[in-house]
Amino acid sequence: MTMRTRTLGTTGPQVSALGLGCMGMSALYGDADRAESVATIHAALEAGVTLLDTGDFYGMGHNELLIGEALRTAPAARREQALVSVKFGALRGPDGGWTGYDGRPAAVKNFAAYSLQRLGVDHIDVYRIARLDPDVPIEETVGAIAELIEQGYVRHVGLSEVGAETIRRAAAVAPIADLQIEYSLISRGIEESILPTTRELGISVTAYGVLSRGLISGHFPRDRQLAANDFRAYSPRFQGDNLQHNLNLVDALRKIAEQKGVTVAQIAIAWVLSRGEDIVPLIGARTRERLDESLGALDVTLDEADLTAIEQAVPADAAAGDRYPTAAMAHLDSER
């Protein structure tokens, strides 16, 4: 496996062709093993992965502390190659519930101060609000990040889950390195207007959910019982008939993967990689075993016949169920 590189937009840093999304090591997917999580981050850095993605609200700061520990205990050369992307703004209560988003300039700087401390770094490489705050113009939020850049605390502005109009407004304030948004074989909503807009403006995409939270990984059993602290237990795509329909799509994809001698996860990640040099898939591996499998996607070449077969097996809009529960969908500017 040879790690390729890609550049975040026209103004952003050069990063590895695959990034590591660390959320599942702290929250929303059931219990995780801290030692294995740190070992997985170390293995990713050793393999040439440079982009580590987190959010200050993942485990209410747990994820940033975890990444801070992994960076602190990594070899110096690997630590120095790491680029950290942080999402902020999501508000939570002591019970873990979600209470809204805060994009006020003063809040932006407050969130950044805490993230720098938890991560143990002197700057954040890409900083972005997790969801648009409906009560604060995006210009004000991005302007606050731009001030942090001037002060040396942040390197680049990012966006997350916003639509084409918001992207344009944000880009008029400061250069935008990339947009983080869900993109996979069964989540292709960005292709209509969002992806053309980012490409017009020279903004790259870091794609999360490339395996749709494990749904199209090839490892999700039809009869799996999800724990109460697993986000997927409440996700429409994992419910009843929706789940069975979606796993039928996985079975169709599995046939193509087997013909190529690769896994379902590898072909799903390779498909996202094939969509353009401006797209960096984030792999949500929580263990070294899953990390190794995901990295194997870099060695998968999809020709036109493969891509046609994949499109036939999993057509656009083929998935059953929304990406998030109804209440969460209401906060997605990208869906409006």
Side-chain angles (χ1 to χ4, degrees):
M1 183 273 296
T2 300
M3 181 61 71
R4 303 190 296 272
T5 60
R6 295 184 172 184
T7 302
L8 295 186
T10 57
T11 61
Q14 189 175 76
V15 300
S16 50
L18 291 176
L20 182 63
C22 300
M23 179 179 72
M25 298 175 178
S26 297
L28 300 180
Y29 291 95
D31 297 333
D33 183 300
R34 188 181 187 89
E36 180 60 24
S37 295
V38 171
T40 300
I41 294 172
H42 285 170
L45 293 172
E46 188 64 32
V49 173
T50 61
L51 181 62
L52 304 178
D53 182 74
T54 185
D56 62 10
F57 51 92
Y58 293 170
M60 280 71 83
H62 177 279
N63 204 237
E64 290 181 320
L65 290 168
L66 178 72
I67 291 175
E69 177 185 342
L71 292 176
R72 188 173 61 253
T73 55
R78 299 307 180 193
R79 181 170 63 249
E80 290 169 5
Q81 79 186 21
L83 300 172
V84 181
S85 166
V86 178
K87 290 179 290 297
F88 67 87
L91 304 177
R92 304 185 72 174
D95 63 352
W98 306 91
T99 60
Y101 296 90
D102 193 345
R104 295 172 301 141
V108 173
K109 296 171 184 178
N110 179 75
F111 290 135
Y114 281 82
S115 288
L116 290 166
Q117 180 69 25
R118 285 189 291 258
L119 289 164
V121 298
D122 60 10
H123 71 271
I124 297 166
D125 294 287
V126 185
Y127 203 46
R128 69 186 92 231
I129 190 166
R131 299 288 186 269
L132 181 68
D133 181 344
D135 298 322
V136 178
I138 191 62
E139 291 86 350
E140 293 184 17
T141 303
V142 169
I145 300 174
E147 289 182 16
L148 290 171
I149 291 175
E150 292 175 359
Q151 296 165 359
Y153 297 118
V154 171
R155 292 288 187 266
H156 305 281
V157 182
L159 297 171
S160 175
E161 282 289 355
V162 293
E165 179 184 351
T166 302
I167 294 169
R168 292 185 185 280
R169 289 170 53 196
V173 175
I176 307 298
D178 83 300
L179 166 70
Q180 186 173 124
I181 197 164
E182 186 167 354
Y183 188 46
S184 73
L185 270 169
I186 63 170
S187 297
R188 297 176 60 176
I190 72 171
E191 292 177 347
E192 182 176 350
S193 64
I194 293 175
L195 191 54
T197 300
T198 58
R199 286 176 168 165
E200 175 191 338
L201 299 176
I203 300 169
S204 66
V205 167
T206 48
Y208 76 87
V210 294
L211 296 180
S212 298
R213 302 166 181 83
L215 182 57
I216 59 172
S217 67
H219 300 298
F220 197 92
R222 289 181 181 270
D223 59 352
R224 180 173 176 178
Q225 298 298 308
L226 294 166
N229 63 344
D230 191 319
F231 158 82
R232 295 170 295 186
Y234 312 98
S235 173
R237 289 185 174 176
F238 289 82
Q239 306 302 312
D241 291 342
N242 286 350
L243 175 62
Q244 300 309 315
H245 170 88
N246 294 330
L247 290 179
N248 288 340
L249 299 176
V250 176
D251 288 341
L253 189 62
R254 192 186 310 276
K255 294 177 182 178
I256 301 170
E258 289 175 347
Q259 290 172 356
K260 290 189 69 66
V262 301
T263 69
V264 174
Q266 288 169 344
I267 206 163
I269 296 168
W271 181 86
V272 178
L273 281 166
S274 76
R275 305 309 286 178
E277 290 292 319
D278 56 341
I279 298 175
V280 178
L282 296 174
I283 52 177
R286 299 199 296 170
T287 66
R288 285 167 286 181
E289 179 183 5
R290 289 289 180 255
L291 173 69
D292 287 343
E293 179 184 18
S294 295
L295 292 176
L298 293 167
D299 295 324
V300 178
T301 301
L302 301 177
D303 58 26
E304 288 302 318
D306 294 326
L307 293 171
T308 298
I310 291 169
E311 292 278 348
Q312 292 175 344
V314 187
D317 301 321
D322 288 333
R323 297 193 284 134
Y324 288 95
T326 301
M329 289 292 289
H331 290 290
L332 298 178
D333 180 65
S334 57
E335 294 288 334
R336 294 172 189 162

